[in-house]
Amino acid sequence: MAVRADSYARGFCEPGAAIALHWLDKQQKSFAQTFFKAPPAEGGSFGPYAFRDGIHGAPILDGVLAHVEGLVREVVEVGDHHPVLFEVLDARIHRLGDALVLGDTGWKYGG
């Protein structure tokens, strides 16, 4: 994956850090929108969205279709998006559904 160099998320992507990627349902646009300005983690939730610690310590959001969790192995600091080498150590499907994709949202990616 690649993460925008000046983004909030880039701060979490350091070698050795446990991170997770989540797949949202097509109906979870507002869920995704919450993380444009990520709310702080408080008492097991990010704003209204609960999470639990994954087996490697990354926050795993409740209510998602699926997630992968693993460790950042390397970040290549080139350009405006830094490629992140991410070793997947756990992957789970929580429920079936149609995944939310950018074309479903009406948003334009300008990164």
Side-chain angles (χ1 to χ4, degrees):
M1 68 177 178
V3 180
R4 190 170 155 163
D6 63 354
S7 69
Y8 179 71
R10 174 60 184 87
F12 298 110
C13 296
E14 293 298 331
I19 62 173
L21 303 175
H22 299 83
W23 280 260
L24 302 180
D25 187 277
K26 197 174 208 171
Q27 306 304 315
Q28 291 180 304
K29 179 179 172 181
S30 62
F31 190 131
Q33 200 163 6
T34 298
F35 292 91
F36 288 171
K37 302 273 188 208
E42 293 182 25
S45 69
F46 292 108
Y49 300 105
F51 69 87
R52 61 179 171 74
D53 288 338
I55 62 175
H56 298 282
I60 306 301
L61 296 164
D62 290 346
V64 299
L65 292 177
H67 80 272
V68 295
E69 180 188 15
L71 299 175
V72 174
R73 294 300 184 197
E74 186 176 351
V75 180
V76 181
E77 294 186 350
V78 175
D80 64 352
H81 283 68
H82 295 169
V84 177
L85 180 60
F86 170 74
E87 181 183 5
V88 174
L89 299 171
D90 186 47
R92 309 279 170 121
I93 296 172
H94 303 283
R95 62 187 175 89
L96 298 178
D98 294 322
L100 180 68
V101 297
L102 186 61
D104 296 329
T105 65
W107 303 329
K108 302 283 187 242
Y109 182 70

